[in-house]
Amino acid sequence: MSANLVPLETFLDLPDHARLLGLDLGSKTIGLALSDLERQIATPLETIRRVKFGFDAAALVKVAELHRVAGMIIGLPLNMDGSEGPRVQSTRAFVRNIAPLTSLPIAFWDERLSTMAVTRTLLAADASRAKRAAVVDKMAAAYILQGALDRLMRMAPQAE
């Protein structure tokens, strides 16, 4: 296991006012989302069209540096029964390969149904097929990141 891969709880120890980057890894694209400085709200950022790992990783590291990201949350595409299939293996391989290129901590977040939930929201908003295709990956990344941010807020010690 990579030294960068950490449990989500570790993110509670990150410096204040540092953003997190959420990723929705697909076979053709990587959706990206960014948290606010208080790590309460996830916002869709951009979609990277996948080319080759080296180019994809360089683009990802550049985005993380540009936004002064303190950690990454990567969607883990578990099967509906919680088992791990080929997509999970591919995601774990991506993390193993990118870990040596960054010192950022990386945590997985269960992404089951994220794309379906986002697509349903876009359909309810009457977004065209072209518009849905253009934004679904970065919105799925925001959905993943928001789930992790919400969990972190519940885990954080409450001020008296």
Side-chain angles (χ1 to χ4, degrees), residues 92-160:
R92 290 188 187 282
F94 183 89
V95 169
R96 271 193 312 276
N97 291 331
I98 202 162
L101 306 177
T102 180
S103 60
L104 295 176
I106 300 168
F108 286 127
W109 185 256
D110 182 350
E111 73 160 54
R112 281 180 279 189
L113 300 178
S114 60
T115 301
M116 186 182 302
V118 167
T119 301
R120 201 173 285 141
T121 301
L122 290 169
L123 285 169
D126 206 25
S128 69
R129 183 181 300 264
K131 176 70 172 169
R132 287 193 312 267
V135 301
V136 72
D137 296 314
K138 64 184 177 182
M139 287 187 68
Y143 187 91
I144 290 163
L145 180 56
Q146 189 65 56
L149 293 174
D150 291 348
R151 178 76 177 118
L152 285 167
M153 281 191 276
R154 287 191 304 272
M155 294 166 60
Q158 301 302 313
E160 296 285 321

Side-chain angles (χ1 to χ4, degrees), residues 4-153:
N4 303 50
L5 191 56
V6 298
L8 187 63
E9 302 81 54
T10 306
F11 283 62
L12 292 170
D13 298 328
L14 290 175
D16 290 341
H17 306 295
R19 299 178 191 272
L20 297 181
L21 186 65
L23 284 77
D24 178 42
L25 291 177
S27 59
K28 295 182 174 133
T29 60
I30 302 173
L32 301 178
L34 195 62
S35 76
D36 64 331
L37 291 171
E38 280 72 41
R39 295 195 289 264
Q40 294 181 0
I41 300 170
T43 304
L45 182 62
E46 67 179 271
T47 301
I48 297 172
R49 176 103 10 229
R50 294 187 79 169
V51 184
K52 288 176 94 173
F53 176 78
F55 292 111
D56 302 346
L60 191 57
V61 168
K62 184 177 175 182
V63 167
E65 289 172 353
L66 176 69
H67 294 284
R68 296 187 186 100
V69 167
M72 288 191 252
I73 304 289
I74 299 182
L76 192 64
L78 297 168
N79 293 325
M80 290 308 293
D81 64 1
S83 64
E84 296 188 6
R87 289 187 59 227
V88 169
Q89 293 170 359
S90 158
T91 299
R92 290 188 187 282
F94 183 89
V95 169
R96 271 193 312 276
N97 291 331
I98 202 162
L101 306 177
T102 180
S103 60
L104 295 176
I106 300 168
F108 286 127
W109 185 256
D110 182 350
E111 73 160 54
R112 281 180 279 189
L113 300 178
S114 60
T115 301
M116 186 182 302
V118 167
T119 301
R120 201 173 285 141
T121 301
L122 290 169
L123 285 169
D126 206 25
S128 69
R129 183 181 300 264
K131 176 70 172 169
R132 287 193 312 267
V135 301
V136 72
D137 296 314
K138 64 184 177 182
M139 287 187 68
Y143 187 91
I144 290 163
L145 180 56
Q146 189 65 56
L149 293 174
D150 291 348
R151 178 76 177 118
L152 285 167
M153 281 191 276

